Amino acid sequence: MFFYNFSESDGENMTVFVTGGAGFIGSNFIFYMVKKHPDYRIVCIDKLTYAGNLSTLEPVLNNENFRFVKLDICNREEIFKLFEEEAPSIVVNFAAESHVDRSIEDPGIFLKTNILGTQTLMDACRKYGIKRYHQVSTDEVYGDLPLDRPDMFFTEETPIHTSSPYSASKASADLLVQAYHRTFGLPITISRCSNNYGPYHFPEKLIPLMIANALNDKPLPVYGEGLNIRDWLYVEDHCKAIDMIIHDGKVGEVYNIGGHNEKTNIYIVKKILELLGKSEDLITFVTDRKGHDLRYAIDPAKIKRDLGWEPDTMFDDGIVKTVNWYLENREWWETIINGEYQNYYEKMYGNR
Ligand code: NAD
Ligand code: TDX
């Protein structure tokens, strides 16, 4: 096992593995990195599950500093081969099963990809050497906050306390990442981000689902009374934070990422209808999610203080940009909702 020191000056020799790069945040991160660090070699590893879309990466597919490899992060033999071939300096692990509702239906694949996939990547990092392994985690590992305590926020010291099989799998991975740092000295960092939104967000998640349904004049299924609160971050701000952490973050540390943009779900749904000029009659209250977390809210003081990160886009601007993106890129999401997604939708919402 060997590790080496990081310095920005060896940019030309820098190879970054981005796992899950054909998904929502991973693809946005690849676009961000290609623009910000054109001399870096980016290798995207993605299994192309239902949530992965190779067409999303079309703008960079022919870039000479970019390579796409269709591969499961749990495939130890092939992952090790790829590390040997490409000798990455940095690994940023986005690859995951990411939808809470699916984890309630079928937890198994969440444990496999999110925990064992993380282990496989870190074992390869140990064997072939790495400057940084970065784990993209979530604020959901902290559980939830009460609705009537707006003074409470998640800090990096908040105890792990999970609610869904998804968040339990992400928390397990975080613990494993910290164990590999303590036991094997692996140079890791972890970021825990709040809810992202923006371009290429898969239309099973709240914001893109509501935009797509509104545009198709279909009912907008709001869980419970729509009073649960999420802390929304425009995806590019998340990408900017990860770029800062992998370059300047302190090895072994956890960084929370969020921008104080707390909104109730019903506020968001009404805002989308308003922006699209659609009637609130489309709102349909449906059976609540099992174990539904009440409120997430991040305290980003640490990343602000240590790395100077701040979000550039506040919710009221970000939601306008997002709605416009879905209006201008109908083909991207219509292709998705015309396929296997129909079966998913019927199963999840048919009798709700
Ligand atoms: P996503 O579901 O849109 O994309 C996941 C990607 O991972 C897909 O391209 C999929 O094909 C790929 N993938 C899944 N299993 C794989 C495997 N076994 N091997 C290789 N590739 C695999 O997810 P997202 O919303 O972009 O989330 C990315 C990461 O960020 C996840 O780790 C998630 O937990 C975390 N996160 C997401 C949010 C959010 O609001 N979306 C917030 C905080 C953290
Ligand atoms: O149809 C819906 N109706 C509804 O009311 C859907 C899909 C969601 N909701 C509610 C549930 C949540 O309170 O909207 C809120 C947001 O739901 P999701 O978009 O499913 O996101 P969430 O469960 O908050 O998890 C997201 O943020 C943290 C990501 O999917 C995770 O990957 C990330 O870790």
Side-chain angles (χ1 to χ4, degrees):
M1 177 179 68
F2 62 95
F3 303 118
Y4 33 80
N5 291 324
F6 179 81
S7 111
E8 181 80 59
S9 61
D10 53 7
E12 276 178 25
N13 303 318
M14 187 74 76
T15 295
V16 182
F17 275 12
V18 179
T19 69
F24 165 46
I25 309 174
S27 59
N28 278 282
F29 181 71
I30 288 172
F31 298 144
Y32 185 88
M33 292 295 279
V34 164
K35 202 166 157 199
K36 176 101 190 283
H37 307 286
D39 52 340
Y40 285 14
R41 177 168 170 75
I42 307 282
V43 178
C44 170
I45 301 169
D46 199 296
K47 184 182 171 183
L48 295 181
T49 67
Y50 78 92
N53 252 295
L54 195 50
S55 70
T56 301
L57 293 173
E58 212 153 304
V60 294
L61 277 180
N62 292 324
N63 186 324
E64 58 173 15
N65 274 345
F66 179 78
R67 178 180 176 193
F68 177 81
V69 182
K70 183 177 186 307
L71 182 58
D72 186 335
I73 56 164
C74 301
N75 185 337
R76 179 168 284 262
E77 201 182 322
E78 293 299 322
I79 288 288
F80 276 49
K81 265 196 216 160
L82 196 63
F83 269 74
E84 187 154 3
E85 188 186 332
E86 291 279 357
S89 310
I90 299 177
V91 174
V92 184
N93 181 24
F94 291 93
E97 289 294 335
S98 70
H99 192 33
V100 172
D101 291 324
R102 287 185 191 252
S103 84
I104 295 166
E105 288 295 304
D106 184 11
I109 186 69
F110 284 74
L111 307 190
K112 185 160 184 263
T113 290
N114 299 2
I115 307 171
L116 298 180
T118 298
Q119 182 211 355
T120 304
L121 291 170
M122 290 195 298
D123 283 343
C125 290
R126 285 183 62 207
K127 178 159 182 201
Y128 295 102
I130 197 83
K131 288 176 181 170
R132 182 66 62 83
Y133 173 87
H134 182 75
Q135 178 73 1
V136 181
S137 186
T138 168
D139 60 357
E140 297 200 17
V141 301
Y142 299 124
D144 61 355
L145 297 163
L147 290 176
D148 60 354
R149 288 292 306 273
D151 56 313
M152 288 176 76
F153 296 93
F154 295 138
T155 73
E156 289 78 2
E157 275 70 51
T158 302
I160 300 276
H161 185 81
T162 58
S163 311
S164 70
Y166 162 71
S167 57
S169 71
K170 292 295 288 184
S172 305
D174 282 13
L175 294 175
L176 200 60
V177 172
Q178 287 172 319
Y180 269 55
H181 173 60
R182 167 97 186 231
T183 305
F184 305 119
L186 195 72
I188 64 96
T189 36
I190 296 174
S191 53
R192 295 181 178 146
C193 190
S194 58
N195 285 58
N196 284 216
Y197 67 107
Y200 302 109
H201 203 181
F202 195 87
E204 66 188 350
K205 306 282 171 63
L206 178 77
I207 289 181
L209 183 141
M210 297 300 165
I211 296 173
N213 281 16
L215 284 170
N216 287 329
D217 294 309
K218 282 181 67 175
L220 272 48
V222 174
Y223 298 166
E225 295 175 55
L227 298 178
N228 302 58
I229 292 173
R230 298 293 183 262
D231 184 0
W232 293 93
L233 187 72
Y234 194 64
V235 62
E236 206 172 277
D237 283 322
H238 187 186
C239 299
K240 182 174 76 166
I242 294 175
D243 181 40
M244 286 176 163
I245 295 169
I246 59 178
H247 289 99
D248 300 320
K250 199 168 152 215
V251 164
E253 295 287 309
V254 174
Y255 295 90
N256 283 353
I257 311 172
H260 291 301
N261 280 277
E262 287 178 52
K263 306 284 172 206
T264 60
N265 294 337
I266 193 70
Y267 170 88
I268 287 179
V269 172
K270 287 185 176 173
K271 185 84 193 169
I272 289 169
L273 288 169
E274 181 196 316
L275 289 170
L276 291 173
K278 299 281 182 176
S279 162
E280 288 187 8
D281 292 345
L282 286 173
I283 295 173
T284 313
F285 293 97
V286 301
T287 311
D288 210 350
R289 174 184 279 173
K290 289 191 181 100
H292 198 172
D293 279 336
L294 295 171
R295 170 174 169 253
Y296 304 143
I298 285 271
D299 175 357
K302 178 176 174 180
I303 189 167
K304 192 173 171 184
R305 184 189 64 232
D306 292 0
L307 303 180
W309 176 87
E310 272 188 310
D312 293 322
T313 303
M314 290 295 107
F315 187 80
D316 285 344
D317 294 332
I319 192 67
V320 173
K321 284 202 266 185
T322 303
V323 166
N324 284 337
W325 188 88
Y326 280 83
L327 281 168
E328 287 158 13
N329 292 274
R330 281 191 90 119
E331 202 188 325
W332 182 85
W333 57 268
E334 277 178 346
T335 308
I336 290 169
I337 66 172
N338 288 334
E340 174 57 26
Y341 180 89
Q342 293 289 339
N343 297 335
Y344 163 80
Y345 200 87
E346 185 50 36
K347 186 175 168 201
M348 298 303 244
Y349 295 95
N351 294 314
R352 199 152 184 159

